[in-house]
């Protein structure tokens, strides 16, 4: 293996840069050159390539986002477009490719693997919805931001005796909302994985208010689409002075946490090792304290579920 390439695709997440840093440093130590394709599959298809040196990745571990940029390219589902990508890999004399991204990006990687490209993936998504890895790059940083934000909002909620409905990201996953609620001791949580009863929550919080609770925090996962309904119920049923805060894109970027940096370094160097040792069609993953390799097929044919204890906690807070 003389030259490998890397790209970052789909939603950016903190930890992508630490992974890039370790891919370049590990490769260079093994005398392998590294090409970076810019803007995900878009750069791969259009041949937007840069040479990545030690200097290219110096000082990037503390930066959120991705220095080689990301994008979404819906056309990458077409085989003709995938073949264009393969032609560019040939033109750039690439012996193996590392894709850093979420579920969708791994589907793209799997399509290339089926066409014979030596390819491995690194799970990066703030949603923590990628099957096979306990956690994906960016989740921890995102949770830290969510918890800091809820802590800040609590200051206002308690000073004014208000209720706050806080909406978190996560697409169809309620992981960010649930763990954010757990870590801040929120009074209620609304997530897609567990049946919830908005009126019941509003009545419970009204009762708790009567008994002396001064303010309430309800964390709602965006995937439920229930944010305004929850807020209305708190106003109508509980009579609370209620405010909504949508955390939105604050949850994506920011300096990677220690956890995401170290995880990025480990997944990055393992990805290089896997390619050197001739493995392909696998995702690097964290299982317990170990880095393991999970076949794309397993990743893409299973849904990542919340653990039993998480579900129990969620059930208690969603009515
Ligand atoms: P994420 O990787 O964060 O889940 P997306 O779901 O938007 O983000 O996917 C990122 C990109 O991966 C898409 O824009 C597309 O280029 C590629 N992709 C997604 N699904 C497929 C698929 N089924 N086949 C080929 N490429 C895909």
């Amino acid at each position: 293996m003389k030259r490998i390439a890397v790209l970052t695709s789909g939603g950016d997440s903190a930890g992508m840069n630490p992974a890039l840093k370790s891919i370049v440093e590990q490769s260079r130590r093994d005398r392998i050159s590294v090409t970076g394709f810019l803007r995900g599959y878009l750069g791969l298809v259009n041949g937007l390539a840069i040479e990545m040196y030690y200097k290219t990745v110096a000082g990037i571990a503390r930066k959120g986002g991705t220095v080689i940029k990301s994008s979404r390219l819906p056309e990458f589902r077409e085989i003709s477009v995938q073949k264009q990508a393969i032609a560019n890999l040939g033109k750039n004399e690439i012996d193996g490719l590392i894709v850093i991204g979420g579920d969708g990006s791994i589907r793209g990687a799997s399509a290339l693997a089926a066409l014979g490209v030596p390819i491995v993936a690194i799970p990066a998504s703030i949603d923590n919805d990628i099957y096979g890895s306990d956690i994906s790059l960016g989740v921890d940083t995102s949770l830290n931001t969510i918890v800091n934000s809820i802590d800040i909002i609590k200051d206002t909620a308690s000073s004014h005796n208000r209720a706050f409905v806080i909406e978190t990201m996560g697409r169809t996953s309620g992981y960010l909302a649930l763990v954010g609620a757990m870590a801040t001791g929120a009074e209620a949580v609304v997530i897609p994985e567990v049946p919830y009863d908005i009126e019941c929550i509003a009545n419970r919080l009204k009762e708790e208010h009567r008994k002396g609770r001064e303010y309430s925090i309800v964390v709602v996962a965006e995937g439920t689409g229930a944010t305004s309904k929850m807020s209305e119920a708190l106003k109508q049923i509980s009579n609370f002075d209620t405010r909504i805060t949508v955390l939105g894109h604050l949850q994506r970027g920011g300096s990677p946490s220690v956890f995401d940096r170290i995880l990025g370094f480990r997944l990055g160097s393992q990805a290089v090792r896997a390619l050197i040792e001739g493995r392909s069609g696998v995702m690097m993953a964290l299982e317990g304290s170990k880095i393991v390799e999970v076949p794309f097929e397993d990743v893409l044919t299973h849904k990542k579920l919340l653990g039993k204890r998480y579900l129990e906690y969620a059930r208690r807070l969603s009515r």
Side-chain angles (χ1 to χ4, degrees):
M1 199 145 285
K2 289 206 181 81
R3 175 176 291 278
I4 62 168
V6 61
L7 59 84
T8 48
S9 164
D12 65 290
S13 72
M16 284 181 158
N17 282 331
L20 289 172
K21 183 176 173 65
S22 93
I23 287 166
V24 172
E25 291 180 351
Q26 179 71 45
S27 303
R28 295 270 164 192
R29 271 198 295 277
D30 288 324
R31 305 198 182 290
I32 296 169
S33 304
V34 185
T35 296
F37 283 105
L38 302 176
R39 305 184 63 198
Y41 291 121
L42 186 77
L44 181 58
V45 171
N46 294 296
L48 311 171
I50 59 161
E51 188 70 32
M52 297 185 79
Y53 304 100
Y54 278 114
K55 212 174 152 192
T56 320
V57 294
I60 68 168
R62 66 191 161 81
K63 292 186 179 160
T66 158
V67 292
I68 54 171
K69 319 278 181 188
S70 189
S71 71
R72 292 199 163 91
L73 182 70
E75 301 80 29
F76 202 67
R77 286 178 180 78
E78 295 161 26
I79 198 146
S80 58
V81 180
Q82 294 162 7
K83 286 195 170 152
Q84 230 170 301
I86 294 176
N88 272 322
L89 289 171
K91 237 186 257 170
N92 289 275
E93 301 184 329
I94 308 293
D95 303 312
L97 176 63
I98 301 174
V99 168
I100 307 176
D103 204 57
S105 304
I106 296 170
R107 271 180 210 285
S110 177
L112 291 179
L115 295 171
V117 175
I119 188 166
V120 298
I122 292 179
S125 159
I126 63 166
D127 307 336
N128 207 24
D129 58 352
I130 305 174
Y131 179 86
S133 191
D134 293 352
I135 199 160
S136 302
L137 283 179
V139 175
D140 186 68
T141 304
S142 182
L143 277 173
N144 280 305
T145 304
I146 290 168
V147 168
N148 285 336
S149 306
I150 296 177
D151 286 348
I152 291 168
I153 288 166
K154 271 190 166 185
D155 290 343
T156 300
S158 66
S159 303
H160 293 272
N161 288 5
R162 275 180 190 156
F164 269 88
V165 176
I166 299 170
E167 185 185 284
T168 58
M169 278 186 168
R171 294 197 284 192
T172 57
S173 164
Y175 184 85
L176 290 179
L178 179 57
V179 179
M182 281 168 124
T184 55
E187 279 64 49
V189 71
V190 177
I191 60 172
E193 289 89 342
V194 163
Y196 50 85
D197 186 332
I198 284 175
E199 285 187 10
C200 190
I201 292 174
N203 279 312
R204 169 166 64 85
L205 296 184
K206 182 182 181 185
E207 180 58 18
E208 288 177 10
H209 184 66
R210 201 184 58 77
K211 288 184 184 153
R213 186 192 297 291
E214 293 185 330
Y215 64 94
S216 296
I217 302 283
V218 181
V219 186
V220 178
E222 67 174 357
T224 60
T227 304
S228 6
K229 264 184 253 155
M230 187 68 244
S231 167
E232 278 313 303
L234 288 173
K235 283 182 195 159
Q236 305 299 334
I237 299 173
S238 332
N239 243 338
F240 284 147
D241 183 13
T242 307
R243 299 286 191 278
I244 293 176
T245 301
V246 178
L247 295 179
H249 283 85
L250 279 177
Q251 296 162 89
R252 244 183 215 299
S255 183
S257 65
V258 174
F259 181 90
D260 275 327
R261 293 183 199 197
I262 304 297
L263 183 62
F265 295 155
R266 294 179 72 194
L267 295 171
S269 63
Q270 183 67 26
V272 174
R273 202 161 302 138
L275 282 178
I276 291 174
E277 291 168 9
R279 292 188 295 283
S280 177
V282 288
M283 179 187 83
M284 307 302 116
L286 183 71
E287 190 184 283
S289 59
K290 283 201 214 98
I291 303 295
V292 298
E293 292 167 17
V294 185
F296 288 162
E297 200 190 327
D298 282 358
V299 176
L300 299 174
T301 54
H302 293 89
K303 189 172 160 47
K304 187 170 172 69
L305 302 172
L306 291 174
K308 201 170 141 228
R309 299 233 181 278
Y310 283 79
L311 288 171
E312 278 167 14
Y313 194 95
R315 279 192 200 102
R316 233 175 346 104
L317 290 193
S318 48
R319 51 192 56 253

